[in-house]
């Protein structure tokens, strides 16, 4: 971008060139190429409503102004007084979808009667090249703004809604606990893990996850057994998350650590978990079988609970390969002293097969859908 601006300034023989980004009534000078750096800095902002660029965009002034003194409209604007601009060229920076990103401009502190429409044509070509450079960032900014418009009100309201899905003993249907699951507005049209990932994308993920944990903890009085809560490894390591967990009745909590996010430092993770586990917190590795790091998570974190992902649970009754995989996970759990919970059970046949394969616990639509905590029962039989 700086090279494009240097080309503009050199070709036109003016004192400075810059590209702006429009944000409501504010004009941000994103990159400035100037012979007078103290007067114009990258990142500075100025009002849009009384700028030369807006007057040009509105058709009140021509795109090429060799001498501002010939235009009373121009001389009434702040730029004519400070920093005393006298020659000016401004063309829009237009993105591929037709939206105007900002302006590509060059200015001089003296009149320049040599400025012509040919110079405007050069600036237009350079602005088109600038549009190609800024478009990816503009798209990302627009995406982040859209995400923030959805996520920020949820954070302000104290976090997402929480429902509970029972976790039962397969042999008896007795409920031993429940998993707390976050719920976002149905109109958003995506699953909760997508919304948490979007929140992390804009820097609000840790806060949103901690709020979800706190709301889940409020449901510990909904019935007996434990409440399983989900958290990502990166959020778990934050001070806010560790502080929130330390204030909860740890012996009633199973913390589910998703294996979809890679753990950067297992020693750091185990060190953070140690005082919590000493206080009664149980650790579960979630989604085992769905991603790249199941066995590594299990070996290095030594969880109390292994949760089998629905991808290796659904259809297990009729699939010999899934049976071998589930049996192997059950044997591993037995050898390490961990309990096994199968997620996503939807049929009686799968529930029976899982029990035969050494999986003692499970959850899924076969027993109950995630629902209002007040609707939890002690026993689920079909």
């Amino acid at each position: 971008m700086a090279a494009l601006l240097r080309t503009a300034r050199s070709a036109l023989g003016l004192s400075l060139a810059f590209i702006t980004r429009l944000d409501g009534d504010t004009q941000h000078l994103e990159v400035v190429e100037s012979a007078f750096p103290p007067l114009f800095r990258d990142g500075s902002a100025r009002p849009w409503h009384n700028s030369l660029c807006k007057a040009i965009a509105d058709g009140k002034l021509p795109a090429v102004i060799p001498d501002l003194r010939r235009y009373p409209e121009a001389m009434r604007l702040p730029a004519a007084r400070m920093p005393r601009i006298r020659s000016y060229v401004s063309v829009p920076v237009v993105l591929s979808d037709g939206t105007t990103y900002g302006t590509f401009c060059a200015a001089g502190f003296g009149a320049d009667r040599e400025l012509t429409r040919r110079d405007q044509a050069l600036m237009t070509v350079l602005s088109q090249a600038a549009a190609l450079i800024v478009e990816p960032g503009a798209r990302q900014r627009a995406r982040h703004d859209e995400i923030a418009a959805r996520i920020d009100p949820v954070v302000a309201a104290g976090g997402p809604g929480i429902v509970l899905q029972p976790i039962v003993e397969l042999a008896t249907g007795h409920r031993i606990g429940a998993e707390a699951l976050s719920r976002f507005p149905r109109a958003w049209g995506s699953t909760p893990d997508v919304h948490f990932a979007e929140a992390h994308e804009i820097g609000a993920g840790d806060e949103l996850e901690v709020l979800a944990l706190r709301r889940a903890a409020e449901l510990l009085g909904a019935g007996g057994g434990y409440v399983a809560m989900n958290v990502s490894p990166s959020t778990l390591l934050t001070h806010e998350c560790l502080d929130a967990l330390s204030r909860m009745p740890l012996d009633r909590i199973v913390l589910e650590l998703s294996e979809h996010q890679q753990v950067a430092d297992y020693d750091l993770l185990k060190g953070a978990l140690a005082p919590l586990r000493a206080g009664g917190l149980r650790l579960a590795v979630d989604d085992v079988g769905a991603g790249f790091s199941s066995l590594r998570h299990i070996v290095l974190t030594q969880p109390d609970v292994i949760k089998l992902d629905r991808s290796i649970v659904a259809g297990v009754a009729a699939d010999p390969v899934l049976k071998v995989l589930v049996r192997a996970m059950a044997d591993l759990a037995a050898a390490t002293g961990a309990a096994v919970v199968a997620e996503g059970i939807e049929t009686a046949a799968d529930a029976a097969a899982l029990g035969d394969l050494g999986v003692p616990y499970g959850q899924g639509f076969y027993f109950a859908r995630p629902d209002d905590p007040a609707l939890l029962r002690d026993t689920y039989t079909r």
Side-chain angles (χ1 to χ4, degrees):
M1 186 64 71
L4 292 177
L5 293 170
R6 280 195 295 271
T7 298
R9 190 163 77 87
S10 174
L12 274 61
L14 296 178
S15 304
L16 71 149
F18 53 92
I19 184 171
T20 74
R21 173 175 60 85
L22 298 182
D23 181 12
D25 196 38
T26 303
Q27 187 179 37
H28 299 271
L29 277 64
E30 294 216 311
V31 183
V32 179
E33 176 65 24
S34 173
F36 304 93
L39 291 177
F40 299 90
R41 298 181 182 277
D42 294 358
S44 59
R46 302 186 178 195
W48 166 247
H49 72 277
N50 60 0
S51 67
L52 283 166
C53 290
K54 186 175 191 306
I56 292 170
D58 291 345
K60 297 177 181 179
L61 293 172
V64 179
I65 308 176
D67 189 346
L68 263 69
R69 291 171 296 185
R70 294 178 55 191
Y71 299 90
E73 177 75 24
M75 293 304 293
R76 286 193 290 269
L77 298 175
R81 298 187 296 275
M82 175 58 70
R84 201 175 176 277
I85 296 295
R86 287 295 176 264
S87 51
Y88 205 74
V89 184
S90 176
V91 296
V93 177
V94 182
L95 303 182
S96 60
D97 63 357
T99 59
T100 299
Y101 174 85
T103 57
F104 196 88
C105 309
F109 298 118
D112 187 344
R113 299 185 185 280
E114 300 299 318
L115 288 179
T116 66
R117 287 190 177 276
R118 184 180 61 184
D119 298 313
Q120 179 184 353
L122 171 64
M123 291 288 283
T124 298
V125 170
L126 294 175
S127 77
Q128 291 168 348
L132 294 176
I133 296 172
V134 301
E135 180 142 3
R139 294 281 169 258
Q140 183 182 59
R141 187 179 296 110
R143 171 177 166 77
H144 286 184
D145 289 345
E146 187 276 328
I147 293 172
R150 290 185 285 108
I151 296 294
D152 288 352
V154 174
V155 170
I162 302 293
V163 293
L164 295 181
Q165 184 174 39
I167 299 170
V168 306
E169 186 177 46
L170 296 180
T172 64
H174 176 69
R175 177 173 57 83
I176 62 166
E179 181 177 1
L181 299 166
S182 296
R183 289 294 181 262
F184 296 88
R186 197 180 291 267
W188 291 7
S190 297
T191 56
D193 61 311
V194 171
H195 302 314
F196 279 110
E198 289 175 333
H200 278 287
E201 191 176 330
I202 64 170
D206 292 338
E207 183 178 11
L208 187 64
E209 286 197 47
V210 172
L211 289 172
L213 288 175
R214 287 177 173 151
R215 284 211 156 165
E218 294 172 0
L219 303 179
L220 286 167
Y226 65 81
V227 171
M229 307 177 185
N230 293 273
V231 69
S232 64
S234 60
T235 296
L236 175 61
L237 293 174
T238 65
H239 170 76
E240 291 77 11
C241 184
L242 294 172
D243 180 66
L245 288 169
S246 70
R247 299 173 187 273
M248 299 179 188
L250 296 177
D251 59 333
R252 295 281 314 282
I253 296 172
V254 171
L255 196 65
E256 296 192 6
L257 193 66
S258 173
E259 68 124 8
H260 290 295
Q261 184 184 87
Q262 189 171 7
V263 175
D265 188 332
Y266 277 96
D267 289 336
L268 184 63
L269 181 68
K270 288 191 290 185
L273 283 168
L276 299 173
R277 298 181 80 174
L281 178 85
R282 283 171 288 171
L283 178 68
V285 171
D286 196 14
D287 306 324
V288 171
F292 64 90
S293 57
S294 300
L295 295 179
R296 182 171 174 80
H297 259 28
I298 293 169
V299 170
L300 294 178
T301 63
Q302 299 180 335
D304 304 287
V305 179
I306 292 174
K307 298 199 74 176
L308 303 183
D309 187 75
R310 64 183 64 248
S311 64
I312 65 170
V313 169
V316 66
D319 190 323
V321 175
L322 291 181
K323 286 181 179 179
V324 171
L325 184 55
V326 169
R327 170 66 76 180
M329 291 295 100
D331 290 345
L332 174 63
T336 60
V340 183
V341 176
E343 296 184 291
I345 302 174
E346 297 190 0
T347 68
D350 283 347
L354 288 162
D356 293 340
L357 292 169
V359 177
Y361 309 112
Q363 66 185 98
F365 290 176
Y366 174 67
F367 300 104
R369 293 176 178 270
D371 210 335
D372 188 319
L375 299 179
L376 282 179
R377 305 199 309 266
D378 292 332
T379 304
Y380 293 83
T381 57
R382 301 293 294 267

